Amino acid sequence: TIKDLPAEFRYARIVPDIRPSEHLEAGKIIDTLNKVQWNKTKAAQLLGIDRKTLYRKIRLFKIGTST
């Protein structure tokens, strides 16, 4: 259940007005972050993107924010 997920994932939020392809990208980022316990350097490596790009996408998609 949702209660069993890590707090970062339970409260992760994807902006509702983004395109469907961006929803998929945001979901992949969230899955990868959870896989590496939110180690952004490792997540960026696994995603094949620069760490700065990952940070930008996290802000863009508002991943990990509770509001």
Side-chain angles (χ1 to χ4, degrees):
T1 66
I2 274 211
K3 292 177 184 178
D4 298 321
L5 296 173
E8 299 93 329
F9 191 71
R10 282 181 292 183
Y11 299 117
R13 181 173 88 87
I14 299 173
V15 178
D17 58 344
I18 61 175
R19 294 181 293 234
S21 62
E22 291 174 330
H23 277 285
L24 292 174
E25 183 178 14
K28 186 174 181 179
I29 290 169
I30 291 168
D31 289 343
T32 303
L33 285 165
N34 283 321
K35 184 177 183 179
V36 296
Q37 292 79 42
W38 284 73
N39 181 315
K40 293 173 189 76
T41 300
K42 287 182 182 180
Q45 290 171 345
L46 286 174
L47 291 165
I49 60 175
D50 189 80
R51 190 174 44 87
K52 290 179 184 179
T53 301
L54 177 60
Y55 275 95
R56 184 177 50 79
K57 290 176 185 269
I58 287 171
R59 280 192 310 276
L60 174 68
F61 299 136
K62 297 184 180 177
I63 295 171
T65 60
S66 59
T67 59

